[in-house]
Amino acid sequence: MRVLVSVKRSVDANVKVGVKRDKTGVDIASLKMSMNPFDEIGVEEAVRLKEAGVATEVVVVSAGVVQCQETLRGALAMGADRAILVESKEELQPLAVAKLLKALVDREQPSLVFLGKQAIDDDSNQTGQMLGALAGLPQATFASQVRVADGKAIVLREVDGGAETLSLTLPAVITTDLRLNEPRYVTLPNIMKAKKKPLEIVTPDDLGVDVVPRLKTLSVSEPPPRAAGVKVADVQALVEKLKTEAKVL
Ligand code: AMP
């Protein structure tokens, strides 16, 4: 059983980003970039499936600039077997990525595809759902537990006010939530081993996909600054303020 995992190179989760002066976007030049955290969780889950003898091969895919190779090497160091970079300098929006992944699903025929539930840079939360629709595959989003057996994936997912359990017939698309697992740290020997693992580079044209952006960002702005808070002496003072100042009681 082959598992395909998409990994996006995005701004490191611990880096504070700022809006560009001309408000056309977020300034990420020269910031530390890392694997999108939800994708790390996807790689971890796929590698665990391999270690459990359920999966036989883990293939990781990234779409974007040449530096995405570093992200893919990180996934290979976590235990993935081979990597594919769809190299493009174009701004890749969720629909374009979903189409690229669909083309690779057709080529690689995986039984399971893991994506993150969202990329922490654009927060779109769209690519997995679009891939499920384009490929005509069952999908479970926001997975917090995955079990694979007898040609099915049983997925526990968090929904408003509780948990839902879905049974998907494989092949299927699953997007990962934070509670699914805790990704492993990569060790130096595994980083060295990862350098020798296969990394194929293709282009959107090779896959027959038009990646021209369909959406235009009109403006990006910071949230309005918040006034500083105050400390109140006791609960009574807090209630008084909520009544008279905030007027929420
Ligand atoms: P989004 O819909 O942009 O919030 O992204 C959801 C998920 O789609 C991410 O967690 C990734 O697994 C995948 N994805 C989005 N963009 C890319 C990309 N350029 N390369 C690889 N995977 C991506």
Side-chain angles (χ1 to χ4, degrees), residues 103 139 150 153 226:
Q139 56 169 297
D150 307 323
R226 285 171 53 176

Side-chain angles (χ1 to χ4, degrees), residues 110-240:
S111 299
L112 208 50
V113 186
F114 281 117
L115 298 90
K117 76 166 179 183
Q118 73 193 59
I120 61 160
D121 48 9
D122 62 22
D123 273 342
S124 294
N125 177 9
Q126 295 177 3
T127 312
Q129 294 87 328
M130 286 175 169
L131 172 63
L134 289 173
L137 295 178
Q139 56 169 297
T141 51
F142 314 147
S144 50
Q145 195 186 84
V146 175
R147 278 185 291 116
V148 179
D150 307 323
K152 293 207 179 330
I154 310 295
V155 178
L156 186 77
R157 60 190 300 272
E158 283 169 29
V159 289
D160 275 353
E164 180 181 56
T165 307
L166 297 179
S167 169
L168 314 180
T169 304
L170 301 182
V173 173
I174 296 177
T175 73
T176 60
D177 210 338
L178 217 51
R179 265 179 276 273
L180 181 56
N181 61 49
E182 206 173 303
R184 68 195 63 193
Y185 285 105
V186 291
T187 59
L188 193 58
N190 284 343
I191 293 174
M192 300 314 285
K193 264 192 229 161
K195 291 187 183 190
K196 295 202 179 104
K197 292 187 180 176
L199 192 159
E200 179 192 358
I201 300 179
V202 296
T203 65
D205 279 350
D206 295 336
L207 298 174
V209 176
D210 167 13
V211 292
V212 170
R214 304 296 202 268
L215 306 171
K216 193 174 158 204
T217 302
L218 299 181
S219 159
V220 176
S221 54
E222 302 253 9
R226 285 171 53 176
V230 288
K231 268 193 180 171
V232 289
D234 51 29
V235 173
Q236 229 166 1
L238 173 67
V239 171
E240 193 55 33

Side-chain angles (χ1 to χ4, degrees), residues 6-8 36 38-39 61-64 92 94 97 115-119 122-128:
S6 64
V7 296
K8 183 173 187 184
N36 183 45
F38 294 105
D39 300 342
V61 181
S62 191
L92 295 173
V97 178
L115 298 90
K117 76 166 179 183
Q118 73 193 59
D122 62 22
D123 273 342
S124 294
N125 177 9
Q126 295 177 3
T127 312

